[in-house]
Amino acid sequence: MNVMSVESTTMVAIGYDETREILQLEFCSHSVYRYFGVPVSVYEALVAASSKGKYFNGTIRGHFPYSLETDEAGRRGES
């Protein structure tokens, strides 16, 4: 999974696994969530969004199943 730092007041990093359609988001609180079944178009639009938090709330939150990652490997996208 490729993970990149982002400029946002909501999140610090975004990762995406295109093969498995997994979107990983690390929030400013350091909580890391993985969202499943996320199309590449949603990932690309999130990266391009001027307000990542607004895009997340309107398009991702509540629309895809997710899990909260708790280990350091998951936190850095190294699993």
Side-chain angles (χ1 to χ4, degrees):
M1 177 176 297
N2 293 324
V3 179
M4 70 172 80
S5 297
V6 293
E7 300 248 351
S8 170
T9 58
T10 307
M11 57 192 76
V12 296
I14 298 173
Y16 188 69
D17 182 327
E18 189 170 351
T19 303
R20 298 186 297 165
E21 293 190 319
I22 298 173
L23 175 67
Q24 178 175 291
L25 303 177
E26 181 175 352
F27 291 89
C28 293
S29 66
H30 300 292
S31 296
V32 177
Y33 288 83
R34 287 190 175 177
Y35 293 84
F36 305 97
V38 179
V40 68
S41 60
V42 171
Y43 161 72
E44 290 171 344
L46 174 63
V47 170
S50 59
S51 173
K52 290 169 181 41
K54 186 174 182 179
Y55 184 84
F56 167 76
N57 284 323
T59 306
I60 299 167
R61 184 183 218 172
H63 296 273
F64 298 96
Y66 68 90
S67 69
L68 173 62
E69 300 299 307
T70 56
D71 63 325
E72 281 300 313
R75 184 164 293 202
R76 293 291 151 219
E78 299 169 4
S79 57

